[in-house]
Amino acid sequence: MTATVKNHVHLNDLSSASAVWSFHDELYLAGDDVPWLYQLDNEFNITNKCQLSNVDRLVNGRTPGDIKADFESMEIFNLNGEDVALILPSGSKEISRDTGYLVSITDHKILYKNNIRRLYNKIIAKAKIDPGELNMEGLAISDKHIYLLQRGNITKNFVVRIPRSEFLNFFRHHTILPDISLFYFDLPKNDSVVAGFSGACIAPDQQGLFFTASLENTGTALADGEVQGSYLGYIPFCKIKKGEYAITKLEYNGKTFAKKLEGITIKNTLEGIGYEVITVCDNDDGSSDIIELTIALK
């Protein structure tokens, strides 16, 4: 797998971009310490925003860590003829970080707002991890399944596969918990720091998922740490049970790109070449970066 940076844009007034989706020549972004879903034009200007969580307290435009909703993943898809955005939290804290949102893209209205702690608790039990170790940072939706990616900086990295219809019924109608399957992955490490899943999206041909993974030197699911670089990778679904993947460490101007990639979305398919993708960086300082690049699988 190869990745080539084409454009790098700094957003000083958009904090902690953690999820991104390209839709009809516009971008939708969510951040882990802001309560909004942002809409941006193709020049990355903010054109609209939809309030998700209640704003109890902001400090310099950011929600303090003890009460932030921690939105870490999102995807836009069609549900019963309507384009909707699903935005999910990490689940790394009870109460404040376990409410997901389903938002209409047409009028930016919240269609469903639901606590998914019961599902997160089922994942915790199946993975045999402590509640404070859960940190769901990736979401990818195929025609048949929903995939959630656990950032394995203090646990193993794993992918949760859930039947799509079961998840959506649970999320919208509080039905029984869906079935889940877990698949584990050994990602690269730098010294003692293991890369952790940080974002995901389905490949256009539905045969696998692309992911981002970041090297962040932190010993908890809550605290930030020194960033040592990021990876882009691909998991073919035919290899998911074996934990096999393709991966490349991102470089820019001949050096390791020492920022934390937190989300990925396909912008265009380049026939015979690969894909144009957009990723976002959470800078942990109230700003964000947007990275446009091309990726190819060999």
Side-chain angles (χ1 to χ4, degrees):
M1 186 173 178
T2 61
T4 304
V5 175
K6 297 296 185 182
N7 191 23
H8 177 193
V9 177
H10 183 71
L11 302 178
N12 193 54
D13 297 323
L14 196 157
S15 178
S16 304
S18 300
V20 61
W21 199 258
S22 176
F23 185 73
H24 293 174
D25 294 323
E26 293 182 308
L27 279 185
Y28 289 81
L29 268 70
D32 67 25
D33 62 10
V34 286
W36 303 290
L37 173 64
Y38 292 95
Q39 182 179 355
L40 285 71
D41 62 22
N42 56 17
E43 294 183 350
F44 309 127
N45 300 302
I46 298 173
T47 58
N48 208 335
K49 61 183 182 182
C50 168
Q51 183 171 332
L52 301 174
S53 64
N54 293 327
V55 183
D56 294 320
R57 185 169 80 248
L58 291 179
V59 179
N60 296 324
R62 306 170 68 189
T63 310
D66 59 333
I67 59 171
K68 71 177 185 178
D70 206 27
F71 299 127
E72 290 286 358
S73 60
M74 69 172 293
E75 182 162 337
I76 294 175
F77 62 104
N78 190 273
L79 179 63
N80 299 327
E82 183 174 11
D83 293 319
V84 296
L86 177 65
I87 303 103
L88 297 181
S90 67
S92 56
K93 287 182 67 175
E94 292 188 1
I95 301 175
S96 59
R97 302 184 184 184
D98 49 18
T99 298
Y101 294 80
L102 198 65
V103 179
S104 169
I105 292 301
T106 303
D107 56 17
H108 297 166
K109 289 185 177 179
I110 296 173
L111 303 176
Y112 296 91
K113 171 187 175 182
N114 285 320
N115 185 291
I116 56 174
R117 177 53 58 183
R118 286 198 301 137
L119 173 61
Y120 282 167
N121 284 342
K122 184 173 183 176
I123 295 170
I124 288 168
K126 191 173 184 66
K128 298 179 180 179
I129 61 176
D130 293 333
E133 295 176 337
L134 187 76
N135 197 2
M136 288 289 155
E137 295 220 0
L139 165 68
I141 303 176
S142 74
D143 292 339
K144 296 181 179 180
H145 295 99
I146 284 180
Y147 298 86
L148 303 177
L149 279 67
Q150 161 76 359
R151 176 187 168 200
N153 60 314
I154 55 174
T155 68
K156 291 184 177 180
N157 285 286
F158 61 82
V159 175
V160 184
R161 186 178 68 189
I162 307 170
R164 173 174 164 153
S165 59
E166 291 184 23
F167 174 90
L168 292 174
N169 284 335
F170 161 75
F171 185 84
R172 292 180 296 163
H173 307 306
H174 301 284
T175 55
I176 61 173
L177 285 167
D179 290 331
I180 62 174
S181 302
L182 269 58
F183 307 99
Y184 290 88
F185 291 83
D186 292 320
L187 296 187
K189 68 168 83 171
N190 182 55
D191 295 328
S192 61
V193 180
V194 178
F197 285 133
S198 58
C201 69
I202 293 292
D205 63 5
Q206 299 277 314
Q207 298 303 303
L209 63 83
F210 290 101
F211 67 85
T212 57
S214 59
L215 287 161
E216 186 174 14
N217 191 5
T218 176
T220 77
L222 303 178
D224 298 321
E226 177 193 3
V227 178
Q228 301 177 358
S230 291
Y231 293 88
L232 293 114
Y234 174 75
I235 300 170
F237 290 142
C238 63
K239 302 284 188 176
I240 193 170
K241 292 181 179 180
K242 296 181 178 180
E244 296 182 9
Y245 58 90
I247 199 165
T248 185
K249 194 172 186 180
L250 189 61
E251 293 188 349
Y252 188 45
N253 293 330
K255 298 180 180 179
T256 295
F257 188 74
K259 283 182 176 286
K260 183 168 55 173
L261 297 184
E262 289 258 332
I264 182 170
T265 181
I266 305 294
K267 184 179 181 181
N268 288 307
T269 298
L270 305 173
E271 294 297 333
I273 299 175
Y275 303 95
E276 281 186 312
V277 306
I278 294 176
T279 66
V280 291
C281 301
D282 174 2
N283 295 328
D284 296 327
D285 63 0
S287 71
S288 304
D289 287 345
I290 294 177
I291 313 297
E292 294 183 288
L293 46 85
T294 59
I295 56 177
L297 293 168
K298 296 183 178 180

